[in-house]
Structure formats: structure tokens, C-alpha cells
Amino acid sequence: MTTLDVLIIEDEPSYVDAVSVALAREGIGVQAAADGRHGLARLRELRPDVVLLDLMLPELSGIDVLKLIRAESEVPVIVVSAKDAESDVVLALELGADDYLTKPYSLRELVARIRAVTRRGGVADTEEAVLVAGDAVLDPNRYQLRLGETVFELPRKEFEVMRLLMGRRGRIVPRAELLEEVWGIDWDDSKTLDQHIRRLRRKLETVADAPVIVTMRGVGYRLDLSSAARLRDT
Ligand code: CA
């Protein structure tokens, strides 16, 4: 079993110390950076399995740091926000953060989130079934969407949305379910979901026989498989 390495980008030493001690006890390695610029340098150098990113940082804001991380890396990012900064969390999720914690958070919860995002990151021990619909093939073991001859490495959230849609075999997936399953949030954050659907559509549109994501207004989404071959598990 490989050990996990976490990069924490946080300017408050008390948090860094508490997190380092708690994660070390779990056999998780921790490296720290006190601001975004150092954080990005450490990211390139260390290639950590997870980044824990505080949104309240000196100089570059956490949101700016997240944008820079996403410009070059798909590393799972858990953002940490102040209690009253829900809008920052929404923005961070839109920009590709994988999960979030609100200060003060419990260290046990932190460990659980880290394990969850790395599991989703594809270090799975067992092979999962590949989903097929028309010319679209979704491989959960590689986080790939193959459309005809083209292979897309899907960002985690787009992958999870696609997996839910394909798994439902053309039936409707309610918006609330997508938000809950993929983002773990129970408010309707329309922008985040719409953006991911838009990106997926752009990919699907590149192939003639790919299924189409249909909007069921005010309800949710479903895959139109009429032009596609029948969905089957392989
Ligand atoms: Ca801070």
C-alpha cells in the first residue's frame, strides 16, 4: 500500500501543527506552505496526493491559488473556508475543488475527506465495470470517457456526473440527486451543475453516435440514448 501525502497551504501555524500531528498518526505525510506562491512551488516539487487549501491566505487568495492549481493539475483539492463564507465555497467548487471543510473542522472529518477524495482519485484496488452508451465508453478505473476514437481524461466531478447519467440508462437524474451525490451539497447550486453539464455536452457533441444530455426543465437531466446503441455493462 502506498502512503498518502498531503500538501497543506495555510498561514495559521496552529492549524498546520494540529493537522500535521493528526495526519501523521494516520500514516499520512504532511508538507506545508504558508502562502499560495510557496504552495504552488511545493505542489510541483512534491506531487502530493491531496491539497488542503485554506481560502483565507495572505497575498494570493485561496481562490486565486485554486485557479492556478487547476491550470496545471488535477490533484484532488479540499478547500477550507470560514464559517460565514458559503459563497467562497460555491465558487471554489465551480473552479474545480473536490470537497470543502468549514473551520473549525474536526480532524477525524478531515481524515475521512482525504480518504474519500483519494478513493475517488482512482487508487481503487478493484476494477469497476465500464459503462457503454453508443460511442461513449466510461471507464471508472481510468476516469476516462472514450468517444469513438477520442479519449477524454475527465475531471473528477464531470466524471461523477457522467457516471450517474449513464448508470441511469436514460432515466431522469434529479438535480438535487446530482448535487448531493457529486458535490455533497444540499442547496441548489445551479451554476456549478450547469457548468459541468455544459462541459460534458461539449465533449459529447464531438461524436455523432454519442448520447445526448437532455435538460428536463426544473427536474434534472437524462441521457437520450435513442441515437445511441443500447446501454450495457461490460
Ligand atoms: Ca488562513
Side-chain angles (χ1 to χ4, degrees):
M1 208 180 113
T2 54
T3 53
L4 288 173
D5 288 298
V6 173
L7 171 63
I8 174 170
I9 306 176
E10 163 70 81
D11 60 315
E12 287 162 66
S14 60
Y15 266 91
V16 175
D17 291 347
V19 166
S20 300
V21 170
L23 295 187
R25 218 179 288 139
E26 299 286 323
I28 300 173
V30 180
Q31 299 286 335
D35 62 60
R37 234 170 272 286
H38 285 102
L40 286 163
R42 302 291 272 160
L43 173 69
R44 290 181 195 126
E45 170 195 337
L46 301 165
R47 308 205 151 273
D49 301 295
V50 179
V51 173
L52 185 65
L53 173 65
D54 188 32
L55 291 179
M56 292 280 284
L57 289 171
E59 298 168 41
L60 281 179
S61 76
I63 291 291
D64 289 335
V65 176
L66 177 61
K67 284 183 199 162
L68 292 168
I69 290 175
R70 277 292 168 262
E72 62 182 75
S73 170
E74 287 289 335
V75 64
V77 176
I78 301 171
V79 294
V80 178
S81 81
K83 214 182 181 101
D84 52 356
E86 192 177 81
S87 59
D88 284 353
V89 168
V90 172
L91 183 57
L93 293 171
E94 280 170 18
L95 291 170
D98 295 88
D99 206 345
Y100 68 95
L101 285 164
T102 307
K103 280 183 178 177
Y105 53 83
S106 86
L107 293 166
R108 187 183 301 182
E109 190 177 8
L110 171 64
V111 171
R113 299 293 176 92
I114 288 172
R115 298 222 183 273
V117 295
T118 50
R119 262 201 305 277
R120 288 200 294 266
V123 248
D125 307 332
T126 52
E127 290 269 305
E128 288 186 65
V130 169
L131 294 170
V132 183
D135 273 0
V137 178
L138 191 72
D139 183 350
N141 308 296
R142 286 164 196 81
Y143 277 69
Q144 285 176 348
L145 176 64
R146 201 164 68 235
L147 291 172
E149 303 290 295
T150 317
V151 175
F152 295 95
E153 307 281 340
L154 287 192
R156 203 156 294 113
K157 299 300 188 193
E158 281 176 48
F159 172 84
E160 296 294 348
V161 169
M162 197 60 196
R163 169 144 75 178
L164 274 173
L165 290 171
M166 285 179 76
R168 212 49 61 87
R169 296 162 186 272
R171 291 194 304 277
I172 298 172
V173 185
R175 295 180 61 87
E177 186 179 338
L178 282 161
L179 288 161
E180 170 74 37
E181 288 287 321
V182 179
W183 284 272
I185 56 179
D186 57 6
W187 68 86
D188 191 355
D189 176 20
S190 312
K191 250 176 86 186
T192 298
L193 182 52
D194 294 349
Q195 252 175 13
H196 284 76
I197 294 285
R198 202 154 44 233
R199 288 193 205 122
L200 278 170
R201 278 184 175 140
R202 227 173 281 147
K203 287 164 187 157
L204 291 169
E205 279 163 10
T206 60
V207 169
D209 199 26
V212 174
I213 300 175
V214 181
T215 305
M216 311 300 288
R217 278 187 70 130
V219 183
Y221 300 94
R222 66 178 186 82
L223 277 186
D224 180 0
L225 304 171
S226 59
S227 66
R230 261 189 47 206
L231 190 69
R232 61 191 160 83
D233 292 337
T234 54

